Amino acid sequence: MPSAPHRRHRARPERRTARASVVSVTALAAVALVVSLVVAFRPDGGSGEPAAAPAASAKASASPSVSAEPSSASPSPTAGKKKESASPKPTPSVPSPSTSARPAPRTPAATGSLAGRIRPGATYRGVATSYDIGDGDGACSFGPSSDVMTAAMNTADYETSKACGAYVQVRAGGKSITVRITNECPAPCVAGQLDLSRQAFAKLAPLSAGRITVDWSLLSPATSDTVSIRYKTGSSRYWCGIQALGHRNPLARLEVRTGDGSWLSLPRAEYNYFLSEQGTGCGGTIRLTDIYGERLTVEGLAVRAEAVQGTGGQFARR
């Protein structure tokens, strides 16, 4: 009789036919003994299936590795060092906008340590002339304005736009006016000279006078305005020009926060924008410092070219 085909599992012994009775009892016993010995000594104990892999090996392959963890969005102070634990480190807390926007302690007004040529408490003597201010715009790039009580500062005292936005009190013949610097008066204007709007000049003397002797000094006026920020046309996160508007006192510095948390002071252009040539800090935190050393920190302003964005803050009156 042909043998049964090979199967994965053990086949049951087939029933013998009548013709198998001629086989002796001894032969059957010998065959049974051989079969039982073969089954007993198989490596899998006779199941006919391959041996299973150790459970410990399967568990090890399922464990996540440390390198597979997602990286933190903010670099930790220990960046570059080997991580010792798989547990994430707590993220440093960030000050709330209301806390960061609080002005720093004010320095005494008498110091004026950050002032340039125009210093608080000093009186300057010079001449005043007049000009037609047109739509009110000027070298300070504040834009058109209906404010007519303005003046152009001579180039020396304009000091690469450092005088922009300053309020000065002008006196002549027992009369006094307050004007805001919005423009530059180039040569032949000389140091100490103010080129007043016609409306402002007329409050001190007839326009026909043409040129009068004046003295003038820096003023920190009462105002209901708050400081605003404007990004220059063409600004993006790769290059930007930043301008402060409506500040009560002259600005000494405009800084932006860098990626490592330090402050970068931006250079000021003669058209009164602070420039970030490499895009550092564009759209980030801005810190303004007036000539008295008071600071205003502004957060959360997007780069929106030509949009005037209010801050709600203002420098103290001196």
Side-chain angles (χ1 to χ4, degrees), residues 50-64:
S57 299
K59 186 177 294 185
S61 63
S63 300

Side-chain angles (χ1 to χ4, degrees), residues 290-317:
D290 72 3
I291 63 171
Y292 300 99
E294 183 180 357
R295 293 170 177 169
L296 295 177
T297 302
V298 183
E299 299 186 45
L301 298 183
V303 179
R304 297 168 53 200
E306 291 303 313
V308 177
Q309 303 183 65
T311 68
Q314 181 58 276
F315 294 112
R317 187 179 184 186

Side-chain angles (χ1 to χ4, degrees), residues 20-303:
S21 60
V22 296
V23 181
S24 66
V25 176
T26 303
L28 287 174
V31 171
L33 178 61
V34 171
V35 171
S36 60
L37 288 174
V38 170
V39 171
F41 286 98
R42 289 186 62 164
D44 59 356
S47 66
E49 297 180 349
S57 299
K59 186 177 294 185
S61 63
S63 300
S65 65
V66 174
S67 61
E69 292 181 353
S71 61
S72 172
S74 301
S76 67
T78 56
K81 294 183 179 180
K82 183 177 180 181
K83 187 177 291 186
E84 299 178 356
S85 170
S87 301
K89 297 183 179 180
T91 303
S93 60
V94 179
S96 64
S98 59
T99 300
S100 59
R102 186 178 303 163
R106 297 165 183 158
T107 57
T111 60
S113 59
L114 298 177
R117 287 176 59 90
I118 305 174
R119 302 182 63 82
T123 298
Y124 301 87
R125 191 167 181 80
V127 296
T129 50
S130 67
Y131 79 110
D132 182 0
I133 63 172
D135 63 3
D137 198 5
C140 292
S141 306
F142 290 142
S145 172
S146 59
D147 180 13
V148 297
M149 297 301 290
T150 61
M153 182 65 73
N154 66 84
T155 297
D157 295 323
Y158 183 77
E159 204 173 359
T160 316
S161 76
K162 198 165 188 176
C164 285
Y167 290 87
V168 295
Q169 186 178 44
V170 188
R171 296 168 293 274
K175 298 178 181 179
S176 175
I177 60 171
T178 298
V179 293
R180 184 170 63 104
I181 304 303
T182 61
N183 209 346
E184 177 185 9
C185 183
C189 280
V190 296
Q193 183 172 347
L194 295 172
D195 205 18
L196 304 174
S197 69
R198 290 180 179 176
Q199 295 87 337
F201 188 97
K203 291 182 179 296
L204 296 175
L207 290 176
S208 59
R211 182 184 184 96
I212 59 176
T213 300
V214 297
D215 59 54
W216 54 272
S217 56
L218 187 64
L219 188 67
S220 180
T223 179
S224 59
D225 291 343
T226 57
V227 178
S228 298
I229 297 295
R230 177 165 58 193
Y231 279 94
K232 196 178 187 308
T233 301
S235 292
S236 70
R237 62 192 181 96
Y238 303 106
W239 177 94
C240 65
I242 308 173
Q243 183 184 55
L245 304 166
H247 44 88
R248 186 199 310 268
N249 305 319
L251 285 184
R253 284 195 299 261
L254 187 150
E255 302 165 285
V256 293
R257 194 186 293 278
T258 65
D260 63 4
S262 62
W263 292 101
L264 173 67
S265 182
L266 299 184
R268 193 174 194 171
E270 62 181 8
Y271 50 86
N272 195 35
Y273 275 87
F274 294 82
L275 305 182
S276 178
E277 298 287 357
Q278 306 301 321
T280 303
C282 296
T285 303
I286 300 170
R287 187 168 72 180
L288 307 173
T289 305
D290 72 3
I291 63 171
Y292 300 99
E294 183 180 357
R295 293 170 177 169
L296 295 177
T297 302
V298 183
E299 299 186 45
L301 298 183
V303 179

